[in-house]
Amino acid sequence: MLQILSTKILDEKYTQPIKNIGFEWVSYDAIEILHLKNEVIPKVIENAIITSKNAFKAVKNKTKINNAFCVGEQTAKLLLENQINVVETAHYAEDLAKKIIQNHNSKSFIFLSGNLRRDTIIYVLEKENIMIEECVVYETQLVPKKFDQSFEAVLFFSPSGVKSYYQTNSSHNEIAFCIGSTTAKEVEKYNQNIQIAEQPTYQKLVDKVINYYKK
């Protein structure tokens, strides 16, 4: 039986469909998230830029967010579940920055970020003279794990997860299924056999795997 490796532990609702088409599912968490004790977070944030669920989880009990501008459907869903007004949502940071420039360029923002965040949002907004202040609220740590066997495919969910996996494992031309283009760019450093989900969600990534092997 061919094996598929996921660099993130997913709920059964995502893994079972892949098992149903005849694969053995192997998974682990390639990264670990640590919440930082950041004392400079304002008690109230009028406009927060949130690019991952991890950022919100890190500040959930530390501040009140009035308006959120976020990346990712899962991030938006979590914010709405916590009764936070989601003003703008985009699949990628670049697209969120464009929406802010077009529709909210007179506002000021606090960017709740992680230590390995990309420069995209800050660079683009500052270039347009939009006020943005960064608060680093969580830290991403790699959790490398060496596998003795090779896999038919590996699922990747972030550039950090890619770095973690290939830190201790070589590429054997496995198919790298990536949740988005940013993650795929990191995979390109190690492996050119790449498939990208139609949208950066867990469900779309699983759909990509299933549709690929149904060809």
Side-chain angles (χ1 to χ4, degrees), residues 141-212:
Q141 293 190 343
L142 307 188
V143 185
K145 182 176 181 179
K146 174 68 176 174
F147 291 93
D148 294 327
Q149 74 268 43
S150 59
F151 296 94
E152 167 69 18
V154 181
L155 276 62
F156 293 107
F157 301 84
S158 69
S160 301
V162 174
K163 292 176 184 176
S164 179
Y165 175 76
Y166 285 113
Q167 184 171 312
T168 51
N169 298 280
S170 300
S171 175
H172 299 283
N173 203 38
E174 67 281 347
I175 302 171
F177 287 93
C178 300
I179 199 165
S181 58
T182 305
T183 300
K185 287 178 182 177
E186 186 65 31
V187 171
E188 287 175 358
K189 298 176 182 178
Y190 311 94
N191 180 4
Q192 302 301 311
N193 197 3
I194 297 170
Q195 296 288 320
I196 304 174
E198 301 301 326
Q199 294 178 5
T201 67
Y202 297 162
Q203 187 60 59
K204 290 296 184 181
L205 182 58
V206 168
D207 290 345
K208 188 72 175 181
V209 175
I210 293 171
N211 291 334
Y212 181 88

Side-chain angles (χ1 to χ4, degrees), residues 42-76:
K43 295 296 183 184
V44 178
I45 299 176
E46 184 62 26
N47 299 305
I49 293 175
I50 303 174
T51 58
S52 78
K53 293 190 296 181
N54 295 321
F56 176 69
K57 290 176 181 178
V59 302
K60 181 179 178 180
N61 299 316
K62 299 178 181 179
T63 186
K64 180 180 184 296
I65 297 171
N66 289 335
N67 300 295
F69 299 74
C70 65
V71 173
E73 292 180 5
Q74 295 298 320
T75 305

Side-chain angles (χ1 to χ4, degrees), residues 63-119:
T63 186
K64 180 180 184 296
I65 297 171
N66 289 335
N67 300 295
F69 299 74
C70 65
V71 173
E73 292 180 5
Q74 295 298 320
T75 305
K77 180 181 177 183
L78 178 62
L79 293 168
L80 291 170
E81 288 172 352
N82 284 271
Q83 290 76 52
I84 293 175
N85 180 41
V86 176
V87 180
E88 297 281 8
T89 303
H91 289 310
Y92 294 101
E94 294 88 341
D95 298 327
L96 180 62
K98 289 177 183 177
K99 289 185 177 183
I100 290 173
I101 291 167
Q102 291 171 357
N103 304 317
H104 310 280
N105 54 37
S106 63
K107 296 182 173 73
S108 59
F109 298 87
I110 290 181
F111 178 22
L112 302 174
S113 68
N115 65 313
L116 299 182
R117 63 105 176 111
R118 296 170 65 223
D119 295 331

